[in-house]
Amino acid sequence: MRNGAGEATRARLARPPGPGGAYRAPMDRTLAADLARLPDLLDATRDAAAEALATLDARPVVPPPPDKPQEREALPERGTGTEAALAAFADRWAPRLSASAGPRYLGFVTGGATPAALAGDWLTAAHDQNSNSALDGAGQDLERETVGWLRDLFHLSDAHTGTFVSGATMSNTTGLAIAREWLGERLDVSPAEDGAAALGPVRVLSGAPHSSIAKALSVLGLGRGALVPVPTLPGREAVDPAALERALADAPGLPAVVVANAGTVNTVDFDDLRAIAALRERHDFWLHTDAAFGAFAALSPEHAHLTAGLDAADSVCVDLHKWLNVPYDSAVLFTRRRDLQARVFQNAAAYLGPLGDHPDLVHLTPENSHRLRALAAWFTLRAYGREGHREIVERDIACARALGASLAEDPSFTVLAPVRLNVVCFTLAAEPTPARLTALREAAAPEVFVTPTTYAGTPALRAAFSNWRTTHADVRRIAQALHTAARELG
Ligand SMILES: *Cc1c(COP(=O)(O)O)cnc(C)c1O
């Protein structure tokens, strides 16, 4: 045995004791060998990545599950190094992974990674920064520069500061945590100090909130039950502003939180953000706007009006791993009340120092240590600028419209809502049961991945376009797969 335990022990004992009498253990042999040939290993990894990306178009969008559950390997007692791990990954796991980085993965709202974003993400791991304190401040300076660019991209004013978090769920949670503290300010208590119970009952009003809002309320101790659904406009997912005003007037004097939705996941409907903000002249509430992917409408002159009023919010959620096309996981939370944000998330410790006017990032989000998450966003914005990202957004919108038009012409399908931005919400014209929709999805699966939903009580499917690679040639392929699958279903 080349690496027998006895041999390792003998090697260790053969060395002289280190300072303080401890035995200096040599670096694990396999690790030391990998260190010695690190550039070669990075080249091999580069090849594996290039291969994965080069085959995106040919691979099934989502491979079918294996016939029998994949056996789990036991933890290796002794490792065999990076090259062998690359081979094992290529053999056992890579073939099972979906082509979600590619152009025909239209499930959920899924972005890919632009070349520059991917480069930035690789370098994030290579530099392995924990960018949260001025004691080693370059990382947080880079994050602040990137946040400034994003603010510009979404036409937000300087009154908003931003922080990176792992996704829109975390962004919504962070925004609502600041809202919770604001409610406390109104009632002269601090939920951050005294607990959420100090607030008494809280009302969070919203028309068609994303599921992550209820999850955030659960995490924050406000409870899922705090969510008060407000009627939407007829045939729409946008809140009815008059109904919202009535709901606010229902409990006069009780400060509330309003969650405005800028881009719902089913039909990408937008609340009238300006009308909601105007209600603050008569009612006291915190306005949080979930613009996870809808904020990107601001990049397209034809659609920017949908986001008018975004800046008026007290906090704004924007996802970046969707339509900015940076790798998971990345989102931003913007707020006008960084003081309250620091009150909630401050991480007082002797070695971290006072908060000051520009609190370190460690005091601003649920995370303490975190990767230099901003770097991938920095890279793609530096590489392609506003124009490059506008082109991605507009092409995706055009692709969604083209698919919507193609499905509308086929009597097998019903398109359930106008294609307002980048999502087509559709169903089978005849017997749109969940079982038949599953059969349709599976029949089209090698070519396209769409996800199920229910819209206005009807089982349906969603095709969401947010990948930078998607072209009209992809739309033709997707449309053909869906038309054929529907014909075969009958
Ligand atoms: C995707 C999405 C979320 C949740 O985002 P994650 O990145 O999955 O945490 C929240 N709100 C909206 C509108 C979304 O589209």
Side-chain angles (χ1 to χ4, degrees):
M1 230 203 322
R2 199 164 58 100
N3 281 336
E7 191 188 330
T9 309
R10 271 198 305 283
R12 209 161 42 239
L13 293 177
R15 287 171 186 255
Y23 285 97
R24 248 183 288 142
M27 184 185 279
D28 173 88
R29 272 197 207 183
T30 315
L31 189 59
D34 271 8
L35 174 59
R37 53 188 297 247
L38 185 55
D40 288 344
L41 295 173
L42 293 179
D43 278 344
T45 309
R46 189 211 76 97
D47 291 346
E51 159 88 7
L53 296 175
T55 55
L56 274 178
D57 229 30
R59 282 191 275 140
V61 178
V62 176
D67 297 335
K68 54 180 176 37
Q70 188 161 339
E71 296 251 345
R72 296 207 182 146
E73 263 185 6
L75 170 71
E77 215 47 60
R78 292 190 146 265
T80 44
T82 302
E83 199 164 27
L86 278 169
F89 172 72
D91 181 43
R92 298 185 57 232
W93 290 108
R96 280 198 54 197
L97 298 184
S98 67
S100 63
R104 285 170 287 106
Y105 188 97
L106 309 183
F108 314 103
V109 181
T110 305
T114 63
L118 183 56
D121 201 66
W122 280 5
L123 292 176
T124 304
H127 287 280
D128 195 23
Q129 305 281 292
N130 182 7
S131 55
N132 62 19
S133 139
L135 296 175
D136 176 6
Q140 62 177 20
D141 287 347
L142 182 143
E143 174 167 330
R144 287 178 184 134
E145 177 167 283
T146 313
V147 163
W149 293 355
L150 291 165
R151 196 165 48 206
D152 210 347
L153 202 63
F154 304 121
H155 311 307
L156 296 174
S157 64
D158 288 356
H160 278 281
T161 55
T163 19
F164 272 74
V165 288
S166 58
T169 300
M170 199 44 85
S171 174
N172 281 330
T173 304
T174 304
L176 291 172
I178 305 169
R180 187 184 63 181
E181 199 60 18
W182 177 87
L183 292 169
E185 192 177 69
R186 288 295 191 264
L187 300 168
D188 226 4
V189 295
S190 169
E193 297 302 321
D194 308 323
L199 286 177
V202 165
R203 297 193 321 146
V204 179
L205 309 168
S206 191
H210 186 267
S211 52
S212 60
I213 298 295
K215 182 171 182 166
L217 296 176
S218 160
V219 170
L220 293 168
L222 299 174
R224 296 176 197 269
L227 196 53
V228 180
V230 178
T232 53
L233 294 167
R236 298 273 306 273
E237 288 185 308
V239 76
D240 176 351
L244 179 59
E245 171 139 40
R246 281 194 297 278
L248 286 163
D250 257 5
L254 248 194
V257 176
V258 171
V259 175
N261 301 297
T264 57
V265 289
N266 272 340
T267 65
V268 200
D269 214 339
F270 285 74
D271 289 353
D272 183 337
L273 303 179
R274 278 182 300 193
I276 295 175
L279 293 175
R280 283 191 298 194
E281 288 164 19
R282 297 186 290 281
H283 305 277
D284 203 21
F285 60 90
W286 177 274
L287 176 54
H288 174 79
T289 299
D290 180 355
F293 66 97
F296 286 83
L299 276 70
S300 156
E302 193 190 330
H303 298 89
H305 64 96
L306 295 168
T307 63
L310 189 64
D311 184 56
D314 299 296
S315 50
V316 177
C317 155
V318 183
D319 227 337
L320 302 180
H321 54 219
K322 290 175 181 165
W323 226 349
L324 191 67
N325 279 270
V326 298
Y328 293 104
D329 43 18
S330 189
V332 181
L333 182 277
F334 294 99
T335 184
R336 293 171 167 271
R337 292 297 304 272
R338 190 172 56 187
D339 58 324
L340 295 180
Q341 185 177 9
R343 214 188 286 168
V344 176
F345 294 108
Q346 63 175 289
N347 186 66
Y351 61 92
L352 287 170
L355 263 52
D357 285 342
H358 300 283
D360 284 339
L361 299 182
V362 70
H363 301 301
L364 294 176
T365 73
E367 296 175 337
N368 279 356
S369 299
H370 64 275
R371 71 205 306 262
L372 182 48
R373 193 174 278 132
L375 189 55
W378 185 95
F379 256 83
T380 198
L381 291 170
R382 182 71 177 75
Y384 312 118
R386 194 196 303 274
E387 274 301 296
H389 281 277
R390 176 192 60 75
E391 190 279 322
I392 295 171
V393 165
E394 292 190 332
R395 179 158 39 86
D396 282 333
I397 295 171
C399 286
R401 278 193 193 153
L403 181 65
S406 174
L407 296 180
E409 280 172 11
D410 182 339
S412 304
F413 290 108
T414 307
V415 177
L416 292 169
V419 180
R420 293 191 181 88
L421 205 65
N422 60 329
V423 173
V424 188
C425 187
F426 65 100
T427 194
L428 285 165
E431 299 170 65
T433 59
R436 275 168 54 81
L437 291 173
T438 301
L440 179 81
R441 275 192 327 110
E442 285 175 359
E447 291 290 285
V448 59
F449 178 68
V450 293
T451 39
T453 188
T454 303
Y455 178 64
T458 305
L461 299 172
R462 299 168 53 260
F465 291 79
S466 29
N467 190 291
W468 65 280
R469 289 174 178 266
T470 311
T471 64
H472 285 279
D474 291 304
V475 174
R476 284 191 290 276
R477 221 168 134 177
I478 292 160
Q480 189 168 13
L482 290 171
H483 292 306
T484 308
R487 227 179 2 258
E488 281 166 4
L489 260 182

